[in-house]
Every structure is written in C-alpha cells, then in structure tokens.
C-alpha cells in the first residue's frame, strides 16, 4: 500500500522529522506515493550519514541555510532543481549559542565558507541561499572570490537588502 497525501503533507512530515531528529533531511529523498518501507529506508539512510540520492553526474550546489531544518522556500528550491544539481545544505552551529555570543554574522559566514571549502571539488562553486541564508551565501561568495575561488552561480532568494547594508 502507498501513503496517501499531497506535497504539503509530505513537507509537513519531513519538517516534523527534522525537528524530531534535529537534522536537515534532503527533501528530494522523499516523494509522494512512496511505500512506507521506502520512506523508512530513505530516512534510515540519511540518519546513518548516507546520501539516498547521490550526485551522479549532476554538479553540486551548496545551499547556505539560515537555520536547522527546511524552510518551505528552501524545500521548494531544492525540489525544483533536484534533477539538475545535487544540493548540499550547509548548516550552522547551535543558534542559541551563536545568539548568546552576540550573533556574529561574520563568524557564521566563516563557518559556512570553511564547510564549503572542505566539500567543494575543483572548479566553480555553485551557491544558493533563501532569505537570511541568501545574505549569508552572498558573504560566502565574497570570501571565496577573495580567496581566489571562482563562484559559477549564486542564487540569493527573497533576501532583504537591508540585511546587506545596501537597502533603503
């Protein structure tokens, strides 16, 4: 038997599981009409550190995230580009700890840049970010370019220009 539902219910289920397991789950690993055993196998693979949807021939795009867990905008972007690029979410250390330390955006950009440098292969780096993650991705792009890396793509989605210091 297959699970009945729609894409919104699937998103809600994935969000609840992310909260329960305190980890980001790649939305492209789940699909409507999965058998419960298929869903469980994908979840198990992710929680064990295996990618149930390996990159194959697709280029890798790093998605700089503003928080742990998916936002519907991030999930929508990942789902839309899943057949074209392999999306690797880049998260951050514990937000409460960062806020207690004064929420230093530069430290978050440093963390994301280092994580991407560890995982990126040779060639241009593809980046994206949604909302606050877009501002952080922009900061990462600037750092990578300053370090001599080529940024081949940067998608800043729904980011407030005020956060970048250039807005009205």
């Amino acid at each position: 038997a297959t699970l009945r539902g729609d894409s919104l219910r699937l998103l809600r289920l994935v969000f609840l599981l992310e909260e329960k397991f305190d980890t980001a789950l790649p939305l492209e690993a789940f699909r409507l009409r999965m058998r419960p055993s298929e869903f469980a196998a994908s979840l198990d693979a992710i929680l064990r550190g295996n990618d149930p949807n390996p990159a194959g021939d697709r280029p890798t795009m790093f998605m700089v995230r503003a928080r742990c867990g998916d936002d519907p905008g991030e999930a929508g972007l990942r789902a839309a580009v899943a057949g074209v690029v392999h999306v690797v979410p880049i998260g951050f250390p514990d937000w409460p700890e960062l806020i207690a330390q004064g929420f230093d955006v530069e430290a978050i950009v440093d963390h994301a840049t280092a994580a991407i440098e560890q995982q990126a292969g040779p060639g241009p780096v593809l980046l994206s970010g949604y909302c606050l993650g877009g501002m952080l991705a922009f900061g990462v792009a600037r750092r990578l370019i300053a370090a001599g890396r080529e940024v081949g793509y940067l998608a800043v989605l729904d980011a407030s220009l005020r956060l970048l210091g250039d807005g009205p």
Side-chain angles (χ1 to χ4, degrees):
T2 59
L3 295 176
R4 298 280 179 205
D6 56 31
S7 59
L8 183 57
R9 286 187 176 150
L10 177 62
L11 274 175
R12 286 182 184 150
L13 176 59
V14 171
F15 293 162
L16 287 171
L17 290 169
E18 285 182 331
E19 193 173 295
K20 177 170 178 42
F21 293 109
D22 193 30
T23 190
L25 299 174
L27 188 61
E28 58 273 11
F30 306 101
R31 64 186 188 288
L32 291 175
R33 296 186 244 319
M34 287 181 94
R35 294 184 179 280
S37 60
E38 294 170 324
F39 191 95
S42 284
L43 180 60
D44 185 55
I46 294 163
L47 295 176
R48 291 179 185 270
N50 300 322
D51 187 346
N53 216 0
D57 292 339
R58 296 172 295 159
T60 296
M61 178 176 71
F62 296 97
M63 176 177 275
V64 182
R65 305 182 82 182
R67 64 184 185 89
C68 182
D70 258 333
D71 176 279
E74 289 177 342
L77 173 65
R78 286 182 20 220
V81 301
V84 180
V85 295
H86 176 69
V87 179
V88 175
I90 300 295
F92 302 100
D94 189 26
W95 275 105
E97 181 180 319
L98 290 174
I99 291 169
Q101 296 172 3
F103 186 68
D104 182 8
V105 173
E106 295 300 317
I108 295 170
V109 170
D110 286 343
H111 173 80
T113 304
I116 290 168
E117 285 283 28
Q118 287 178 346
Q119 298 178 56
V125 177
L126 310 179
L127 296 169
S128 66
Y130 178 77
C131 200
L132 176 60
M135 183 209 49
L136 298 171
F138 179 78
V140 169
R142 291 180 60 177
R143 295 266 171 84
L144 291 171
I145 291 167
R149 287 296 303 254
E150 180 183 352
V151 174
Y153 180 80
L154 172 62
V156 177
L157 306 164
D158 195 30
S160 170
L161 291 177
R162 287 191 180 136
L163 291 174
L164 297 173
D166 297 327

